């Protein structure tokens, strides 16, 4: 239904069926939008006929005619696609008002102030949306009249003021556009429908779909709906509410409203709205009714609802309901609590959470001690949780530019608007002076998982001078000054406050334990250091799928020995240098094995080409010359000797060990000695039981490479074990990252490979012929044109590269049925790829520590989705 009617239209119809008070109207489907674009942006005759008919029906039902001079029917023209895109497309209210019907409406309602307020709103919205006037053209006039009349808020304006504004608005349109504001109601309606269709493809809507990965929709629907009025006076109002707290997830009704207001006033931050709890005091009957309806709608959709309501002269109308946007924190809490409330099953709750969203939960919060010492200089609303530290910028464009330069910025605005989307997306945090918890800034920041403090009234922001004044002028901050925001409390601090990692218990822990019960695929981590390994274990990693050893070669004195090894001209001097490295390397593994306490650890032997370990700059070469007492010329010769035109396909991985086997010999020794040490040495209770080192050879393309190297490894390991009188359950396996290896996978297993780990970064590079370093330049365009559905370096190309994987697994397991199969590329923590790996029978995925929970959840979702297909 949503596909055709859009989310808004479908839900309005459904609520009507539930017996909820929704103003009558009709919906023009998304198919019409599609047709509109296919017909050179026109509404075809047939469609027009249907719209005219539906309008007649609506007029009959309302017993009023659109724009009638004495008693006009007024309507709104509202956008609404299948996926909710709050504020990204256009909506126009009060259509049907013109110079005559505004008088009719004044007399009919005996409320001229209301009629003229509605008229000025129409001209303002129609002017900016349909006639493409600048928003500020109208804002200036409004502010000017407010100033001269000493009116603080729009509600302080009198009928005469509003008439004056209408006059000036119309004159401005005439002056800028050379045409009059259209008086014909039908013309008003049709140009608004056109504009709404047009807004489907405005820049911010396109960007929103890009950022949120919304694909495959044909367009927006248009809802034509009879107006109800929240701006009739103090017995009327409009508001937005959530059935649960969208920030924390607490099951507590939550919302904001304004009396004598219309439409977007609450979200646009025109005045600072009141919490719904005060509606409870102001009008307990309406409040109760609102809660009853909200509960009913939440039950119906089995999800937290974000709803719009209007009170017209004491009567409550519902104008929209949709599944509410929420923080990751709230999403998890709501899903888990709905299981307790028996609204959802555990499986449904697991499917509710977008695994990528979990990222937000794993990120930093302020260190409580540092926070305690810091003194807040201002406080706004805690609109989107998290901790953000950065330099102040005052425009979205500056936020975007500075972030591109690698700076952390906080975007400080009076209020944000949809044009700010790029800047908001790049900022570490967002701070606004106006607007509530449902303001644009708050809603968008929560969706993005960006920390946000909204409606901080203590701020004076001067965008022109680029200054932020706090505490009545005692603090003045310029662009570039550091501030810290606490999105969970709404507090603002001057300077930087230390941040730290969050706790992982409560609802999150519960959800993850349910996921683990269901999940079949293992989740390991890519970790090179004990610190990373410890973080990953905290996040639930069940082993290390990739420990890169090259980083271990860079630290402190080691790099000297490495360079000595590279510069050595014969085997004995190379071995001498490697002997210096051995104790370091062994120690690294001892620590890592201890941290992993018997979980499997896959160690990849040296992978990068040797020139990566030599300096490139002249100054560094000269330094090395002094340090190692090797002539500059010799150094330069060696560097140019090692130079490669295409290092990715060059002398690296196992190819290094074919020519310099002593490198892998040393690493193997270090691994097995460390394994023996942690199992046999030290206090009995500290000894690691069931140690499972897995030695992995990178960049294997041929069977021979593998068998030659495996034999050397086995000889060393067996000798060491014999010497120590210990048996260790070790394995030797290979990465599958060269397409050739995938094609001869059966032979590689026959040659003794005990596991495969797919290095999907290289496999994508070589399999799809895409340079990892250069393809960024065109891949974005490829994704936009749908040549690749996703960037193949982010989400595995399941069709092509995936086929290489399928072939390799099939061939490998035809020789060894229980062959262990894992993935260790960047893809290992990407939900769609995890689902693929589950389907293809992988033993485990391995990903960076912060993605471990994402993979755990995605693994469970894969099982549930598979079951539901059966
Ligand atoms: P968005 O998709 O950006 O939320 P909406 O179509 O929901 O835009 O409309 C914007 C605002 O106008 C909302 O606050 C909505 O409640 C209000 N509104 C829309 N149609 C009507 C109507 N017929 N009567 C009263 N208010 C309306
Ligand atoms: Mg809305
Ligand atoms: Mg690789």
């Amino acid at each position: 239904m949503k596909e055709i009617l859009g989310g808004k239209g479908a839900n309005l119809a459904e609520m009507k069926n539930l017996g909820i008070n929704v103003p009558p109207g009709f919906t023009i489907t998304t198919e019409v939008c599609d047709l509109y674009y296919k017909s050179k942006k026109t509404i075809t005759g047939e469609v027009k006929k249907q719209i005219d008919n539906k309008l007649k029906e609506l007029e009959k039902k309302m017993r009023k005619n659109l724009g009638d001079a004495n008693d006009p029917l007024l309507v709104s023209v509202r956008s609404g696609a299948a996926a909710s895109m709050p504020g990204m497309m256009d909506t126009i209210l009060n259509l049907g008002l013109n110079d005559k019907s505004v008088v009719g409406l004044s007399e009919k309602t005996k409320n001229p102030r209301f009629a003229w307020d509605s008229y000025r709103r129409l001209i303002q919205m129609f002017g900016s949306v349909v006639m493409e006037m600048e928003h500020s053209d109208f804002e200036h006039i409004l502010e000017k009249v407010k100033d001269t009349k000493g009116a603080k808020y729009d509600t302080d304006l009198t009928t005469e003021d509003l008439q004056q504004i209408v006059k000036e608005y119309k004159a401005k349109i005439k002056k800028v556009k050379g045409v009059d504001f259209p008086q014909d109601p039908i013309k008003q309606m049709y140009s608004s429908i056109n504009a709404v269709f047009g807004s489907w493809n405005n820049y911010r809507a396109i960007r929103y779909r890009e950022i949120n990965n919304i694909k495959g929709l044909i367009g927006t629907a248009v809802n034509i709906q009879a107006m109800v009025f929240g701006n009739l006076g103090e017995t009327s109002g409009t508001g937005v509410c959530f059935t649960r707290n969208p920030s924390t997830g607490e099951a507590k009704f939550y919302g904001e409203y304004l009396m004598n207001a219309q439409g977007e006033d609450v979200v646009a931050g025109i005045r600072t709205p009141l919490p719904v709890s005060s509606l409870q005091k102001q009008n307990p009957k309406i409040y109760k009714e609102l809660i009853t309806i909200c509960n009913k709608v939440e039950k119906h959709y089995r999800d937290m609802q974000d709803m719009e309501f209007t009170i017209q002269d004491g009567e409550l109308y519902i104008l929209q309901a949709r599944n509410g946007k929420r923080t990751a924190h709230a999403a998890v809490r709501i899903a888990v609590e709905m299981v307790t409330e028996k609204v959802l099953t555990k499986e449904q709750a697991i499917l509710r959470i977008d695994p990528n969203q979990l990222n937000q939960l794993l990120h930093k919060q302020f260190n409580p001690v540092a926070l305690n010492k810091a003194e807040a200089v201002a406080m706004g609303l805690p609109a989107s949780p998290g901790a953000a530290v950065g330099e102040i910028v005052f425009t979205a464009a500056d936020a975007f530019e500075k972030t591109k330069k690698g700076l952390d910025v906080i975007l400080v605005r009076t209020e944000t608007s949809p044009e700010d989307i790029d800047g908001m997306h790049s900022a570490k945090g967002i701070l606004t002076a106006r607007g509530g918890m449902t303001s644009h800034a708050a809603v968008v920041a929560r969706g993005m998982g960006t920390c946000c403090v909204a409606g901080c009234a203590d701020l004076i922001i001067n965008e022109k001078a680029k200054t932020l004044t706090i505490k009545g002028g005692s603090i003045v901050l310029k662009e570039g000054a550091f501030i810290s925001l606490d999105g969970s409390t709404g507090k603002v601090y001057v300077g930087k406050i230390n941040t730290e990692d969050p706790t992982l218990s409560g609802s999150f822990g519960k959800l993850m334990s349910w996921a683990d019960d269901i999940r079949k695929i293992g989740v390991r981590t890519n970790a090179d250091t004990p610190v990373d390994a410890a973080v990953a274990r905290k996040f639930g990693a069940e082993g290390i799928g990739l420990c890169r050893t090259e980083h271990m070669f860079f630290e402190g004195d080691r790099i000297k020995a490495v360079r000595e090894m590279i510069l050595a001209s014969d085997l004995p001097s190379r071995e001498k240098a490697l002997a210096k490295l051995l104790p370091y390397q062994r120690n690294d593994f001892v620590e890592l094995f201890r941290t992993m306490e018997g979980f499997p650890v896959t160690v990849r032997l040296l992978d990068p080409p040797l020139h990566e370990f030599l300096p490139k700059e002249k100054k560094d070469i000269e330094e090395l010359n002094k340090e190692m007492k090797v002539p500059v010329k010799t150094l330069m010769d060696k560097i140019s000797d090692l130079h490669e035109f295409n290092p990715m396909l060059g002398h690296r991985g196992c190819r290094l060990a074919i020519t310099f086997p002593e490198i892998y010999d040393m690493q193997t020794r270090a691994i097995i000695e460390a394994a023996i040490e942690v199992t046999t040495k030290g206090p009995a209770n500290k000894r690691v039981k069931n140690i499972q080192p897995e030695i992995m050879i990178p960049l294997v393309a041929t069977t021979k490479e593998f068998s030659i190297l495996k034999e050397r490894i086995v000889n060393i390991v067996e000798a060491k074990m014999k010497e120590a009188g210990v048996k260790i359950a070790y394995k030797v396996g290979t990465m599958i990252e060269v397409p050739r290896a995938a094609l001869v996978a059966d032979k590689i297993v026959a040659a003794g490979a005990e596991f495969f780990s797919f290095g999907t970064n290289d496999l994508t590079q070589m399999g799809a012929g895409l340079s990892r370093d250069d393809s960024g330049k065109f891949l974005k365009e490829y994704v936009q044109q749908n040549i690749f559905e996703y960037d193949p370096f982010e989400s595995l190309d399941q069709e092509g590269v995936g086929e290489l994987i399928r072939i390799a697994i099939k061939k490998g397991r035809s020789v060894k049925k229980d062959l262990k199969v894992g993935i260790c590329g960047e893809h290992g923590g990407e939900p769609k790829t995890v689902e693929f790996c589950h389907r293809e029978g992988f033993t485990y995925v391995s990903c960076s520590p912060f993605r471990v929970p994402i993979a755990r959840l995605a693994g469970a979702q894969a099982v549930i989705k598979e079951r539901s297909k059966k």
Side-chain angles (χ1 to χ4, degrees):
M1 236 14 194
K2 276 190 185 166
E3 294 299 318
I4 306 282
L5 297 179
K8 196 179 290 164
N11 289 2
L12 285 171
E14 216 165 327
M15 283 194 289
K16 191 107 207 171
N17 287 340
L18 290 175
I20 292 167
N21 203 12
V22 174
F26 59 92
T27 301
I28 305 168
T29 68
T30 56
E31 288 162 331
V32 176
C33 182
D34 192 34
L35 189 65
Y36 168 86
Y37 279 103
K38 285 180 179 152
S39 332
K40 303 199 179 104
K41 301 198 184 177
T42 52
I43 295 169
T44 58
E46 173 53 28
V47 173
K48 208 158 177 234
K49 219 174 357 178
Q50 288 188 31
I51 296 176
D52 290 341
N53 279 336
K54 283 287 166 191
L55 178 65
K56 284 223 177 70
E57 278 176 33
L58 182 64
E59 288 177 327
K60 220 160 142 199
K61 189 180 246 163
M62 301 302 294
R63 296 206 196 89
K64 286 177 201 232
N65 291 330
L66 184 70
D68 184 276
N70 299 317
D71 182 13
L73 167 67
L74 303 187
V75 297
S76 60
V77 171
R78 316 174 66 186
S79 55
S84 117
M85 303 166 49
M88 292 300 137
M89 291 181 298
D90 295 323
T91 281
I92 298 146
L93 306 181
N94 307 330
L95 281 162
L97 279 175
N98 55 28
D99 293 349
K100 292 208 178 92
S101 61
V102 69
V103 179
L105 187 67
S106 301
E107 284 166 5
K108 185 81 196 172
T109 57
K110 302 203 172 55
N111 190 341
R113 193 199 170 279
F114 149 72
W116 286 92
D117 183 49
S118 303
Y119 195 25
R120 72 97 189 157
R121 286 169 184 271
L122 167 65
I123 301 173
Q124 195 167 337
M125 270 185 263
F126 190 93
S128 18
V129 171
V130 183
M131 306 186 83
E132 297 179 331
M133 297 274 296
E134 291 294 329
H135 203 66
S136 57
D137 283 338
F138 300 116
E139 276 307 316
H140 283 154
I141 294 172
L142 185 64
E143 286 302 321
K144 192 195 73 192
V145 175
K146 265 161 73 179
D147 274 356
T148 49
K149 302 291 168 147
K152 189 162 178 214
Y153 297 118
D154 61 318
T155 37
D156 301 331
L157 295 168
T158 63
T159 307
E160 290 68 36
D161 300 338
L162 292 162
Q163 283 169 335
Q164 170 74 18
I165 290 167
V166 164
K167 203 169 126 201
E168 292 192 30
Y169 276 4
K170 287 198 297 187
K172 188 81 191 182
I173 290 181
K174 178 86 187 188
K175 189 168 156 218
V176 176
K177 293 288 161 185
V179 286
D180 286 313
F181 170 77
Q183 293 290 315
D184 175 4
I186 294 290
K187 199 171 155 197
Q188 287 176 0
M189 185 182 79
Y190 272 105
S191 27
S192 303
I193 296 172
N194 272 302
V196 170
F197 282 152
S199 70
W200 172 250
N201 277 331
N202 66 27
Y203 175 73
R204 58 177 198 254
I206 291 174
R207 273 299 282 153
Y208 188 89
R209 290 196 291 274
E210 256 173 38
I211 291 171
N212 291 284
N213 227 322
I214 299 173
K215 287 187 178 188
L217 300 186
I218 53 175
T220 179
V222 178
N223 303 287
I224 312 275
Q225 193 174 28
M227 285 299 301
V228 286
F229 301 101
N231 56 336
L232 276 169
E234 285 309 316
T235 54
S236 302
T238 181
V240 181
C241 61
F242 290 85
T243 54
R244 299 178 191 229
N245 187 312
S247 223
T248 65
E250 189 186 0
K252 200 171 153 198
F253 186 60
Y254 184 85
E256 291 168 335
Y257 73 105
L258 279 173
M259 292 316 266
N260 199 8
Q262 192 181 49
E264 305 273 58
D265 287 4
V266 173
V267 279
I270 305 287
R271 285 172 266 149
T272 295
L274 300 168
V276 272
S277 53
S278 36
L279 184 63
Q280 191 171 14
K281 286 173 218 128
Q282 212 168 35
N283 194 331
K285 188 180 138 276
I286 293 268
Y287 179 79
K288 216 174 134 207
E289 195 184 342
L290 183 62
I291 294 226
T292 312
I293 292 172
C294 287
N295 285 339
K296 187 168 175 179
V297 178
E298 185 186 276
K299 269 234 170 67
H300 181 76
Y301 290 110
R302 295 164 174 247
D303 200 356
M304 184 264 274
Q305 297 296 302
D306 165 357
M307 299 177 61
E308 291 170 2
F309 62 91
T310 284
I311 305 163
Q312 172 173 289
D313 221 356
E315 187 176 353
L316 179 65
Y317 291 88
I318 302 297
L319 283 150
Q320 189 172 347
R322 61 183 166 209
N323 294 341
K325 300 244 179 269
R326 64 204 76 179
T327 61
H329 196 86
V332 170
R333 178 163 174 185
I334 291 169
V336 168
E337 291 188 356
M338 283 189 161
V339 173
T340 322
E341 294 162 21
K342 299 206 163 38
V343 177
L344 297 178
T345 63
K346 286 178 186 172
E347 285 78 6
Q348 286 167 332
I350 286 170
L351 288 179
R352 273 287 163 80
I353 309 297
D354 170 5
N356 283 320
Q357 236 193 342
L358 293 181
N359 233 337
Q360 287 181 36
L361 295 181
L362 311 176
H363 281 108
K364 305 208 173 289
Q365 289 161 3
F366 287 121
N367 170 293
V369 180
L371 194 63
N372 249 337
K373 282 194 201 132
E375 199 189 323
V377 291
M379 186 153 154
L381 300 168
S384 179
V389 182
E391 306 182 12
I392 306 179
V393 292
F394 292 94
T395 67
D398 287 341
F400 185 75
E401 288 306 321
K402 288 206 166 182
T403 304
K404 238 174 45 190
K405 289 189 190 132
L407 301 173
D408 290 347
V409 303
I410 307 280
L411 178 61
V412 180
R413 308 276 290 155
T414 303
E415 63 206 347
T416 62
S417 70
E419 289 83 46
D420 293 342
I421 182 121
D422 276 330
M424 295 175 75
H425 193 236
S426 22
K428 284 272 174 294
I430 298 164
L431 173 62
T432 66
R434 267 203 301 211
M437 289 294 279
T438 52
S439 65
H440 178 264
V443 171
V444 174
R446 279 199 295 273
M448 291 173 172
T450 303
C451 164
C452 174
V453 174
C456 187
D458 314 341
L459 312 180
I460 301 165
I461 296 166
N462 186 334
E463 256 170 49
K464 275 220 184 85
K466 300 203 169 179
T467 56
L468 168 62
T469 308
I470 316 174
K471 286 202 160 175
S474 65
I475 300 175
V476 181
L477 299 173
K478 296 209 182 81
E479 186 183 47
F482 274 91
I483 57 170
S484 300
L485 298 185
D486 190 336
S488 313
T489 59
K491 288 183 182 162
V492 182
Y493 303 86
V494 174
K496 303 181 196 177
I497 302 175
N498 287 342
T499 53
E500 64 176 36
D501 298 331
T503 48
L504 301 168
S505 48
S507 301
F508 176 80
K510 222 178 224 172
L511 183 82
M512 293 313 292
S513 79
W514 296 342
D516 288 342
D517 288 344
I518 293 170
R519 171 170 61 89
K520 298 212 171 93
I521 196 165
V523 177
R524 296 196 193 178
T525 191
N526 299 350
D528 308 341
T529 64
V531 173
D532 280 357
V535 171
R537 285 214 45 202
K538 210 174 70 195
F539 290 157
E542 301 155 327
I544 291 181
L546 174 66
C547 166
R548 304 174 185 88
T549 47
E550 44 270 23
H551 92 95
M552 300 173 170
F553 281 30
F554 278 105
E555 275 167 33
D557 285 345
R558 306 169 181 205
I559 187 73
K560 270 194 209 158
V562 173
R563 286 171 171 169
E564 221 179 290
M565 184 254 308
I566 296 171
L567 295 165
S569 48
D570 53 17
L571 181 61
S573 34
R574 218 167 18 248
E575 282 182 331
K576 210 177 107 205
L578 283 165
K580 289 186 195 165
L581 278 171
L582 177 66
Y584 289 121
Q585 185 103 89
R586 184 174 50 223
N587 219 23
D588 291 333
F589 295 132
V590 165
E591 283 183 45
L592 202 62
F593 290 153
R594 289 222 165 103
T595 310
M596 292 310 289
E597 295 176 308
F599 280 112
V601 174
T602 308
V603 179
R604 179 178 73 183
L605 302 175
L606 194 68
D607 185 49
L610 295 180
H611 49 78
E612 284 195 8
F613 299 99
L614 291 179
K616 290 178 187 67
E617 307 286 325
K618 191 150 176 267
K619 160 177 137 276
D620 299 326
I621 295 171
E622 279 162 5
E623 209 166 281
L624 189 63
N625 146 263
K626 278 188 212 122
E627 216 179 270
M628 297 194 56
K629 311 208 166 44
V630 179
V632 171
K633 167 125 194 342
T634 316
L635 287 173
M636 300 287 272
D637 285 350
K638 191 75 200 177
I639 291 165
S640 81
D641 196 37
L642 287 175
H643 172 80
E644 292 180 318
F645 287 102
N646 195 343
M648 287 287 196
L649 302 178
H651 194 185
R652 54 174 281 227
C654 66
R655 299 165 191 181
L656 283 173
I658 293 291
T659 53
F660 306 114
E662 52 283 1
I663 299 178
Y664 281 13
D665 288 356
M666 180 279 289
Q667 292 197 291
T668 304
R669 232 169 262 143
I671 294 168
I672 193 66
E673 286 176 7
I676 292 169
E677 183 174 330
V678 300
T679 39
T680 59
K681 302 233 170 81
N685 61 348
K686 288 267 167 65
R687 285 184 206 161
V688 180
K689 289 184 204 79
N690 309 322
I691 187 146
Q692 309 174 53
E694 300 175 340
I695 301 173
M696 179 159 79
I697 307 175
L699 216 76
V700 166
T702 69
T703 315
K704 270 279 171 57
E705 285 168 325
F706 183 80
S707 53
I708 293 171
L709 295 173
K710 172 160 181 186
E711 197 188 325
R712 286 188 83 104
I713 292 168
V714 170
N715 286 342
I716 293 169
V717 173
E718 294 295 331
K720 283 279 167 200
M721 291 196 305
K722 201 165 160 204
E723 192 185 302
V726 185
K727 269 234 150 301
I728 305 263
Y730 74 101
K731 285 193 167 65
V732 183
T734 179
M735 295 203 53
I736 303 283
E737 52 187 338
V738 179
R740 192 186 189 285
L743 303 176
V744 299
D746 46 344
K747 296 186 184 130
I748 297 178
V749 176
E754 290 162 295
F755 64 87
F756 283 173
S757 178
F758 288 93
T760 46
N761 300 340
D762 271 313
L763 194 60
T764 300
Q765 168 165 265
M766 290 182 240
L770 292 167
S771 160
R772 282 157 72 175
D773 298 324
D774 304 310
S775 56
K777 288 181 195 142
F778 57 86
L779 273 180
K780 206 170 162 233
E781 185 80 29
Y782 262 57
V783 174
Q784 269 162 8
Q785 292 194 31
N786 231 353
I787 297 170
F788 281 118
E789 197 179 348
Y790 307 99
D791 180 332
F793 287 107
E794 278 167 26
S795 185
L796 185 80
D797 159 32
Q798 299 183 13
E799 180 189 36
V801 179
E803 186 62 15
L804 286 168
I805 294 175
R806 279 187 284 265
I807 291 170
I809 296 179
K810 195 164 163 222
K811 289 198 161 205
R813 289 202 171 141
S814 74
V815 178
K816 184 174 159 52
K817 238 177 82 192
D818 61 346
L819 181 75
K820 259 195 182 181
V821 172
I823 177 174
C824 64
E826 293 296 308
H827 302 94
E830 191 276 325
K832 285 184 286 294
T833 311
V834 174
E835 195 182 331
F836 165 87
C837 292
H838 167 81
R839 276 201 314 268
E840 300 302 335
F842 275 62
T843 320
Y844 68 85
V845 296
S846 187
C847 54
S848 64
F850 275 91
R851 299 198 73 87
V852 165
I854 296 175
R856 285 162 70 199
L857 187 63
Q861 291 185 343
V863 174
I864 298 167
K865 284 183 200 164
E866 194 176 58
R867 277 189 206 149
S868 73
K869 273 194 198 118
K870 274 182 193 154

